[in-house]
Amino acid sequence: MVSLAATFGRGAMTNHWRDIRHADLILINGANPAEAHPVGFRWLMRAKLDRGAKMIHADPRFTRTSAVSDTHLRIRTGTDVAYFGGLINYVLENELYHKEYVEWATNAGLVVSADYSFTDGMFNGFNAETGAYNPAAWAYELEGGVAKVDVAHPRSVLNLLREHYKRYTPEMVERITGIPRDQFLEVAKMVGEMGRPDKVMTIVYAVGLTHHTTGVQLIRSAAILQLLLGNMGRPGGGMNAERGHANIQGNTDHAISWEILPGYLRIPAPGQKNLADYLAVSATKKLRPNSVNFFGENYRKFMVSLLKAWYGDFATPANEFAFDYLPKPAANSSWISIYDQALRNRMEGLLLSGMTATSIGPDSNQVLKALGNLKWLCVMDPFNTTSSDFWKAPGMDPAQVQTEVFMLPATHWIEKDGSFTNSGRWAQWKEQVLPVEGEARHDHWILAELFSRVQDLYRQQGGKFPDPVLNMSMPYRDAKRPELDEIAREINGRSLTTGKRLDTFAALLDDGTTTAGDWIYTGHYPESGNLAKRRDGIQDPAKNDPTGMGYYPNWAWSWPLNRRVLYNRASADPQGRPWDPERVGIAWDAAAGRWVGDVPDYPGTAAPGPDAPLPFIMTAEGTGRIFSNGVADGPFPEHYEPVEAPIRNPLHPEVSGTPAAFMYDQKAGRENRFGTVEEFPYVATSYRLTEHEHYVTQHVDHLVQLQPEAFVEVPAELAREKGIANGDHVRVSSKRGKLEVRAVVTNRLGALQIDGKKVYQIGIPIHWGFVGINTGQHWLANALTPFVGDASSRTPEFKSFLVNLEKM
């Protein structure tokens, strides 16, 4: 989310599953869609079978995705910046980038401030005391308040990019990633062809890129490559993030992450006493005269409409629409930080809803300790979890755990209706499949009941600041049991003047006369009805997909405004003509005076021309950002080693790992429990299996039968060295914990030559635990992973860490 927003203006899959069939080349990194997203994978196969598209899979393991790919690149986990950096260097060195696109649709021509520098692994703006960069130090040179544009300038973004990536030679890529030089160059030649207007490439990725201390930069490096090739905004192109669950995108849109409000509005910060203070920091200002800067220009409207949805009549112009009701956290409140606070005995209680901290948190043994430090823990879940039963974990002494645990039975998603928003931003309504059993309640009913009881306590006993709780608007038929349909209508928003639900967020105002629970969803439930329920699909393609591009505009609804491909103005040249007439995103219809095709991500009647708005409407520059200060660890992606690595960084050994990673233990005065390659010589990575859905399926008989027992995958060559046979019990240990499980000896993993050294990688599925049908020994994959977060979002390092392997 952070990386895509910093590059394009929004943090979401840019295209959609069906659109992948239009690609000529598909790069798959940090993902195994054939097994983890098997239904969506059909569209990758359609591209391959119908168009003759080539598929390149870069992955430590040879998987079912690899088996149908044209090329499998065995890559060392966590080194994708070096891989994409090598491709960027190849494209620039051989002048294969889409020059017209790059100079028009990216910030390549903007001149960077003379203060910018990068030396020996360090960008300018680093504070050694805090261990953090100041991203404001990465700025443009301004003239008259706008960014200076001169693509030939030595400090233009394009020229700085050339300088930055010239170190990423094929030889350096091989040293870091383990991909042989000749194999890399074969892929680079294919990628280089994608800079032609009649060619287009897509990049597909998942948590194999995100779950690193450098995850933001891994994804950013791929996004920069796509901008250079002119593949953003185009059918068959884009940066397509595969979400891990059916509604992960919906969760993100509605602010499951602590630092945002619904619709990706920033959470206010201390010192922001009013909307003006908040907007001065949160809303971007135009950096080019013809930049639309849509988000920045309309930020106040979206925020005021949200406050009106939450606080109704209590949100007025006189009180800044109840802006002071909003929390203004002074410290990071991400989920690892929550466990860290519990470890420091700074937290009394925790409510877990639909997630199990023990299984999905880093360093499970430390999370178990954190939960044991609480006074109370409330778990809302359909099943017992390793969190609700954390005190039963092997090695735990229940007598020493003082935490009072409350288990509130919640319904499973098949027991309720509502909407899912899939990876491609399509909101689709589903029906209830099974009736609710026993005393289980929907999770939103549980929360509504708890909220009502807290309100009663405030009314009875008072409090320091009761207004945000007592004045919350709950406009439902039953405030303790709101229907999801009611909530969907509230999210859509309405005009308080007419009482009608709105068709578009363009109608939102900042005077308190409109509401919207999430502005990007405005239009999904207008007066005409719930558009997420629409199902006009392949029963009549000629009628339901008039463009023939697979948009099917009357099948469900996609945010924003039912747009199927984000940034689609960039699918046509500056004159409004599609780069490829056979793959039309949008095109300018001069006779009609409007853009036609997909819903334009652009002013719908803005004619092409020298003074026309620039194509990326969500950024202050009006372009995609090759150079960006929207992340916390560098304006250009740079390869840094994971916190535990088998080698020093060949690019800058003295700054081997990213200096901006957040070291929780160190910050808290605890020991940094990182292993060395001498003690833990093997690289481990974690992943999912098709047969299991995280940890819920520990309770499903047939799925447990398909994958009954925990295991690790061991390369056959390493197994021979260790005397390990298939099915043997092995112990896998890190500096933080150990696992004792079966070994699956396989050729899916193999040795790599990394900087002249043989390096083995071990694969660890994340499922199983000490609850469910088959529990066995204390099996939690994350018992091995380090308690550390990336600089921008505090995402843990789940995909690359050091272990030892022993036969038991």
Side-chain angles (χ1 to χ4, degrees):
M1 184 184 80
V2 175
S3 50
L4 297 187
T7 310
F8 310 120
R10 300 184 185 95
M13 182 172 176
T14 60
N15 295 45
H16 57 92
W17 282 105
R18 195 180 190 94
D19 181 70
I20 295 173
R21 69 191 175 106
H22 298 303
D24 297 308
L25 181 63
I26 303 169
L27 297 190
I28 307 169
N29 281 66
N32 177 16
E35 297 181 66
H37 299 82
V39 177
F41 189 65
R42 66 180 297 197
W43 301 112
L44 285 76
M45 292 303 297
R46 287 264 61 89
K48 184 176 175 64
L49 297 173
D50 298 344
R51 293 191 60 84
K54 300 296 184 183
M55 204 148 63
I56 312 298
H57 189 212
D59 197 278
R61 294 189 307 141
F62 188 92
T63 68
R64 289 181 177 90
T65 300
S66 313
V68 294
S69 294
D70 296 274
T71 302
H72 171 239
L73 302 175
R74 194 181 301 284
I75 187 173
R76 178 165 65 101
T77 180
T79 63
D80 301 77
V81 168
Y83 167 66
F84 287 122
L87 294 174
I88 290 169
N89 182 45
Y90 182 89
V91 166
L92 291 173
E93 191 177 59
N94 293 283
E95 298 290 322
L96 296 171
Y97 64 95
H98 189 164
K99 185 175 182 180
E100 186 178 9
Y101 182 106
V102 167
E103 294 188 8
W104 167 66
T106 82
N107 65 349
L110 275 64
V111 177
V112 173
S113 166
D115 294 333
Y116 167 76
S117 67
F118 177 77
T119 307
D120 295 331
M122 298 293 295
F123 294 97
N124 64 305
F126 187 73
N127 184 324
E129 291 185 11
T130 64
Y133 283 107
N134 173 19
W138 309 319
Y140 303 116
E141 186 172 308
L142 302 180
E143 289 183 333
V146 299
K148 180 178 179 179
V149 181
D150 180 2
V151 73
H153 194 285
R155 283 186 279 108
S156 74
V157 168
L158 186 62
N159 282 329
L160 289 178
L161 186 76
R162 291 183 194 276
E163 181 67 21
H164 191 85
Y165 285 105
K166 71 180 184 181
R167 299 166 297 136
Y168 288 75
T169 62
E171 293 75 18
M172 183 59 74
V173 171
E174 181 175 24
R175 285 179 65 185
I176 294 173
T177 69
I179 299 171
R181 177 182 181 277
D182 292 346
Q183 193 179 26
F184 169 78
L185 285 172
E186 288 177 10
V187 172
K189 289 173 184 175
M190 287 188 275
V191 169
E193 293 180 10
M194 298 300 116
R196 292 164 35 189
D198 63 338
K199 295 288 185 181
V200 69
M201 176 179 82
T202 192
I203 294 179
V204 174
Y205 70 95
V207 293
L209 289 192
T210 56
H211 285 174
H212 295 273
T213 51
T214 55
V216 169
Q217 298 294 16
L218 267 63
I219 298 163
R220 275 262 302 145
S221 62
I224 289 171
L225 177 64
Q226 284 291 69
L227 283 173
L228 287 175
L229 296 170
N231 288 327
M232 294 308 304
R234 296 185 58 188
M239 285 290 295
N240 292 312
E242 301 175 331
R243 295 300 200 163
H245 281 284
N247 207 31
I248 290 294
Q249 184 64 56
N251 284 341
T252 310
D253 298 340
H254 296 306
I256 198 170
S257 188
W258 75 275
E259 78 279 10
I260 56 173
L261 301 174
Y264 302 97
L265 299 167
R266 278 188 179 183
I267 191 83
Q272 295 173 2
K273 297 181 180 180
N274 51 45
L275 283 169
D277 292 344
Y278 169 72
L279 294 168
V281 174
S282 303
T284 55
K285 311 299 185 293
K286 282 190 177 186
L287 286 169
R288 301 280 295 279
N290 51 344
S291 162
V292 174
N293 190 30
F294 183 83
F295 199 20
E297 295 292 309
N298 292 280
Y299 215 98
R300 180 183 167 91
K301 297 175 182 177
F302 304 150
M303 184 61 166
V304 170
S305 296
L306 176 65
L307 291 169
K308 286 297 293 183
W310 282 352
Y311 296 111
D313 293 339
F314 291 99
T316 68
N319 69 358
E320 289 279 306
F321 300 101
F323 177 77
D324 62 320
Y325 287 4
L326 296 182
K328 299 167 182 66
N332 186 286
S333 299
S334 62
W335 56 299
I336 314 183
S337 300
I338 290 171
Y339 310 144
D340 179 59
Q341 291 300 303
L343 283 167
R344 299 189 193 201
N345 292 304
R346 295 178 180 176
M347 180 174 291
E348 292 193 0
L350 175 64
L351 193 154
L352 296 177
S353 176
M355 64 91 76
T356 174
T358 311
S359 293
I360 71 170
D363 190 353
S364 300
N365 291 312
Q366 188 145 264
V367 173
L368 285 166
K369 182 179 178 182
L371 296 182
N373 284 353
L374 299 171
K375 289 185 178 179
W376 60 267
L377 170 67
C378 179
V379 177
M380 294 162 46
D381 208 280
F383 304 100
N384 283 18
T385 71
T386 54
S387 293
S388 68
D389 294 12
F390 81 92
W391 44 279
K392 298 179 182 178
M396 295 283 286
D397 181 1
Q400 300 301 312
V401 176
Q402 302 303 308
T403 310
E404 186 173 6
V405 180
F406 302 91
M407 180 70 183
L408 300 182
T411 52
H412 189 273
W413 60 263
I414 62 176
E415 297 175 299
K416 54 189 171 185
D417 62 355
S419 65
F420 279 160
T421 303
N422 71 5
S423 299
R425 299 167 287 103
W426 292 19
Q428 302 177 86
W429 198 264
K430 62 184 182 63
E431 303 302 328
Q432 182 181 18
V433 178
L434 298 174
V436 178
E437 294 186 7
E439 297 184 57
R441 294 189 191 180
H442 301 321
D443 46 5
H444 63 290
W445 286 4
I446 295 173
L447 292 171
E449 173 79 17
L450 286 173
F451 181 70
S452 176
R453 294 191 185 196
V454 170
Q455 283 185 313
D456 289 342
L457 287 172
Y458 268 111
R459 292 188 186 101
Q460 295 163 13
Q461 302 176 15
K464 290 184 179 179
F465 188 30
D467 293 0
V469 175
L470 296 180
N471 295 341
M472 176 69 74
S473 177
M474 300 285 281
Y476 314 117
R477 286 189 296 271
D478 182 347
K480 294 183 180 180
R481 296 198 169 196
E483 297 298 326
L484 290 172
D485 185 81
E486 292 180 288
I487 296 173
R489 282 180 271 155
E490 183 181 23
I491 288 170
N492 182 88
R494 62 192 176 98
S495 166
L496 298 176
T497 303
T498 66
K500 304 289 187 183
R501 291 192 300 276
L502 300 173
D503 295 330
T504 169
F505 51 65
L508 295 175
L509 301 172
D510 62 3
D511 60 2
T513 61
T514 59
T515 72
D518 190 334
W519 72 272
I520 61 176
Y521 279 77
T522 299
H524 90 285
Y525 204 145
E527 285 294 308
S528 60
N530 187 345
L531 303 187
K533 290 184 175 181
R534 295 183 299 182
R535 293 295 183 268
D536 294 341
I538 59 171
Q539 66 268 39
D540 190 346
K543 176 184 176 183
N544 298 332
D545 185 29
T547 65
M549 293 300 295
Y551 297 139
Y552 286 95
N554 291 317
W555 177 280
W557 185 90
S558 61
W559 71 261
L561 297 181
N562 206 32
R563 184 171 297 132
R564 302 294 159 139
V565 177
L566 296 178
Y567 321 114
N568 56 31
R569 173 61 186 92
S571 69
D573 68 15
Q575 292 73 45
R577 301 167 302 201
W579 296 110
D580 183 354
E582 294 184 2
R583 285 174 284 199
V584 178
I586 63 172
W588 176 249
D589 185 332
R594 62 187 177 91
W595 293 91
V596 297
D598 190 10
V599 176
D601 197 359
Y602 196 69
T605 58
D611 298 322
L614 288 166
F616 283 78
I617 69 169
M618 293 294 286
T619 67
E621 298 91 330
T623 61
R625 299 182 183 119
I626 292 171
F627 178 95
S628 176
N629 66 3
V631 297
D633 47 359
F636 290 127
E638 174 69 0
H639 167 70
Y640 293 102
E641 289 292 323
V643 292
E644 293 183 336
I647 62 167
R648 300 296 296 175
N649 191 334
L651 290 165
H652 28 75
E654 297 306 311
V655 185
S656 187
T658 173
F662 196 84
M663 306 296 185
Y664 277 96
D665 289 334
Q666 180 177 313
K667 294 282 187 181
R670 300 186 296 265
E671 177 190 0
N672 256 345
R673 290 162 306 118
F674 300 142
T676 64
V677 69
E678 290 76 22
E679 189 178 3
F680 302 99
Y682 311 117
V683 175
T685 192
S686 62
Y687 52 89
R688 297 171 180 153
L689 302 173
T690 304
E691 295 81 3
H692 282 293
E693 185 208 353
H694 282 297
Y695 315 101
V696 175
T697 44
Q698 294 165 344
H699 302 273
V700 180
D701 286 307
H702 292 310
L703 294 175
V704 171
Q705 290 166 12
L706 290 169
Q707 290 286 1
E709 188 175 356
F711 64 87
V712 295
E713 286 191 300
V714 180
E717 185 180 355
L718 176 60
R720 287 192 295 272
E721 290 181 11
K722 292 279 189 177
I724 296 170
N726 198 49
D728 282 351
H729 278 97
V730 295
R731 180 180 296 111
V732 183
S733 57
S734 75
K735 189 73 171 179
R736 295 155 296 278
K738 65 180 181 180
L739 310 173
E740 295 177 350
V741 294
R742 297 277 187 185
V744 172
V745 177
T746 178
N747 288 318
R748 288 189 289 265
L749 288 157
L752 292 171
Q753 287 295 319
I754 305 297
D755 204 19
K757 174 183 177 181
K758 181 185 281 190
V759 173
Y760 290 110
Q761 300 186 105
I762 294 171
I764 306 175
I766 64 172
H767 315 286
W768 302 287
F770 50 84
V771 299
I773 295 170
N774 279 5
T775 55
Q777 183 58 29
H778 179 185
W779 169 256
L780 289 169
N782 291 347
L784 302 176
T785 62
F787 203 83
V788 60
D790 86 273
S792 294
S793 60
R794 304 287 176 91
T795 300
E797 181 80 82
F798 287 147
K799 299 297 182 181
S800 187
F801 48 95
L802 293 179
V803 298
N804 194 15
L805 173 71
E806 305 165 86
K807 182 178 179 179
M808 293 177 62

